Amino acid sequence: MTAANAVEAVFRIESARIIAGVTRIVRDVGIAEELAQDALVAALEQWPESGVPEKPGAWLMATAKHRAIDLVRRRETYARKLAEVGRALEDVPPPEPSDPAAGDDIDDDLLRLIFTACHPVLSTDARIALTLRLLGGLTTEEIARAFLAAEPTVAQRIVRAKRALAKAGVPFEVPYGSERAERLSSVLEVIYLVFNEGYSATAGDDWQRPALCEDALRLGRVLAGLMPKEPEVHGLVALMEIQASRTAARTGPDGEPVLLADQNRTRWNQLLIRRGFAALQRAGNGPYALQAAIAACHAQAVTYEETDWVAIATLYRQLAALTPSPVVELNRAVAVSMAEGPAAGLELVDALANEPALKEYHLLPSVRGDLLARLGRRAEARAEFERAASLTRNAREKELLLERASRTEPEPDCEPEPEPASEPDSASDSPSGSASES
């Protein structure tokens, strides 16, 4: 590995900790990121000649902190910060590049950075972009590509997010009490949204984007390590671990979706399932824990036919009572259809027909089409699948729905036969609460 490659690899791993450590000094995530980038440039200049240090992460941290200290001392705009922290910095000698920074301090700073990047003062899109940039180590180009957005748009979103945090005077701290619960909810939501986009891409040519799932999983694991006594953190990690275990089985040789009923379960990652079950043991009874328990029901079934749909329907009923939403109800309808029959599920789905939140939601007609097909109402099912295909922005999903529609064309001069209930194209185990599963 060349020195340049080593710099890139180490920085990708350590960038979040470096930015967090520097933010504690300068109290501005935008400036902290610039100083971290300065340390990266210094490494690119020095390491090819001096060699990669024994502890490269500590070298980058020390270099970035030295530059932060110099900035605080030098710029008049940091006079107030100099008065607050200057004396302490004078008394403590800068760490040697080969010495690792104190682990506890870094972890505390990293936790502060997570809560800062996911502050509710920012829009959801801004929180996602800033989190992936600061904590995921992704470039603006990578974020734009992952979410199918224009790179200038994402860059502007990140810049505005940093300015908004500075303008609002968001403190670099971990909140406590009721504010902590509110902020933690925001943090978990951002990580969850990133994972969902990777698990079932909303648009584009790819059915899933595993790299985003991996980034979300890494952030979730970090958060669980920093907040071991927060049950919902473990609930989210459990959910993501178990869902991610199916990644290899969810697509075919050409990237086409493979639905749950047709997946080769020997390709499910048993290590991730075990990790998910271990995290579930530490989770409470919150929304993420309940969704993780639903995912666990699927993971425990050796075959699709052995799935405990009664238990899944019960868990969705509990989830609906805890966090009522039309999407959860749609999921519950799928589970009920498997436990009690398609007619029972269709009754619940039809009750959601006028929900404003589901007006453009392609999975509503997709689920309805599946239930109608299972009841032998093939012409109606075809129309629903075609409508669902017109609503989705994902090319792979569109192909799947149109193919499903073509298979539900009634045979001429033949009485339609109900489709078997054992192989629906919908199943309620998607992490986003969507009713279309693979």
Side-chain angles (χ1 to χ4, degrees):
M1 178 183 289
T2 66
N5 289 337
V7 172
E8 183 179 354
V10 172
F11 190 77
R12 185 80 173 227
I13 296 170
E14 299 290 340
S15 61
R17 293 181 181 274
I18 295 169
I19 293 170
V22 175
T23 302
R24 179 158 56 90
I25 298 174
V26 299
R27 301 285 164 169
D28 187 306
V29 294
I31 294 173
E33 186 185 11
E34 292 175 6
L35 292 170
Q37 292 289 337
D38 287 347
L40 173 64
V41 172
L44 289 171
E45 292 173 348
Q46 298 179 34
W47 290 9
E49 295 183 4
S50 62
V52 178
E54 182 181 352
K55 297 173 181 176
W59 191 99
L60 289 169
M61 176 71 82
T63 301
K65 283 189 173 182
H66 290 166
R67 291 173 185 249
I69 293 169
D70 289 342
L71 182 64
V72 170
R73 288 171 173 161
R74 187 175 66 248
R75 294 177 57 176
E76 291 182 358
T77 55
Y78 283 91
R80 182 177 60 82
K81 295 181 177 64
L82 179 61
E84 294 173 355
V85 305
R87 295 186 185 86
L89 294 175
E90 291 286 355
D91 295 337
V92 178
E96 293 296 326
S98 60
D99 291 340
D104 290 342
D105 288 343
I106 293 176
D107 285 348
D108 288 345
D109 290 340
L110 188 57
L111 189 57
R112 294 186 185 102
L113 182 62
I114 291 174
F115 275 89
T116 300
C118 298
H119 196 284
V121 72
L122 304 176
S123 69
T124 299
D125 287 345
R127 277 180 260 164
I128 290 173
L130 191 60
T131 299
L132 288 175
R133 178 62 179 264
L134 299 182
L135 293 155
L138 274 67
T139 64
T140 303
E141 180 184 2
E142 288 171 328
I143 298 170
R145 187 167 62 247
F147 286 91
L148 302 180
E151 187 174 346
T153 300
V154 173
Q156 188 177 51
R157 192 174 293 162
I158 293 172
V159 169
R160 287 178 175 174
K162 295 173 186 174
R163 289 175 180 169
L165 292 175
K167 183 178 181 180
V170 174
F172 184 62
E173 65 182 12
V174 178
Y176 294 93
S178 59
E179 185 183 359
R180 178 169 179 166
E182 176 188 351
R183 294 271 292 279
L184 179 59
S185 174
S186 174
V187 170
L188 297 179
E189 177 191 21
V190 168
I191 295 174
Y192 190 40
L193 287 171
V194 172
F195 182 85
N196 285 342
E197 182 60 29
Y199 190 81
S200 295
T202 55
D205 297 327
D206 298 318
W207 174 246
Q208 55 183 353
R209 300 190 178 102
L212 279 181
C213 290
E214 291 168 7
D215 283 322
L217 259 174
R218 181 168 59 81
L219 291 174
R221 290 166 183 164
V222 168
L223 192 61
L226 297 175
M227 306 182 73
K229 295 183 180 180
E230 292 289 347
E232 267 298 79
V233 174
H234 296 293
L236 177 58
V237 171
L239 173 60
M240 294 191 298
E241 298 276 14
I242 299 172
Q243 293 295 122
S245 72
R246 296 198 290 272
T247 298
R250 295 184 71 238
T251 53
D254 298 323
E256 71 278 10
V258 178
L259 296 174
L260 185 65
D262 304 317
Q263 286 174 17
N264 179 356
R265 299 192 175 209
T266 63
R267 300 188 67 196
W268 288 5
N269 188 315
Q270 294 302 312
L271 174 60
L272 292 182
I273 290 175
R274 289 194 296 271
R275 293 180 69 158
F277 276 48
L280 188 56
Q281 293 297 316
R282 306 180 68 183
N285 298 308
Y288 294 115
L290 286 173
Q291 292 178 74
I294 291 168
C297 286
H298 290 285
Q300 288 173 322
V302 177
T303 65
Y304 182 76
E305 290 73 22
E306 295 177 51
T307 305
D308 189 346
W309 289 106
V310 174
I312 291 175
T314 300
L315 287 166
Y316 266 117
R317 189 177 301 111
Q318 296 174 7
L319 183 62
L322 190 62
T323 55
S325 85
V327 174
V328 172
E329 280 298 313
L330 185 59
N331 267 325
R332 187 170 76 87
V334 175
V336 167
S337 78
M338 297 302 296
E340 303 176 17
L346 184 61
E347 183 178 351
L348 294 175
V349 169
D350 286 345
L352 299 171
N354 296 320
E355 283 286 347
L358 301 181
K359 183 178 180 181
E360 303 296 325
Y361 191 51
H362 70 284
L363 293 178
L364 177 61
S366 174
V367 169
R368 192 167 190 275
D370 173 68
L371 298 177
L372 289 168
R374 288 165 57 192
L375 289 168
R377 296 160 62 178
R378 300 169 70 89
E380 295 173 80
R382 178 186 176 92
E384 291 291 347
F385 285 129
E386 289 176 342
R387 178 168 175 265
S390 71
L391 292 175
T392 184
R393 293 185 296 138
N394 184 280
R396 292 290 189 177
E397 195 163 25
K398 188 181 189 73
E399 292 172 3
L400 174 71
L401 290 164
L402 290 176
E403 191 270 338
R404 186 71 170 102
S406 69
R407 295 201 335 248
T408 54
E409 180 69 30
E411 297 279 342
D413 302 323
C414 291
E415 194 71 26
E417 292 289 336
E419 295 205 356
S422 59
E423 297 183 358
D425 276 357
S426 303
S428 55
D429 69 328
S430 171
S432 60
S434 72
S436 178
E437 168 51 28
S438 65

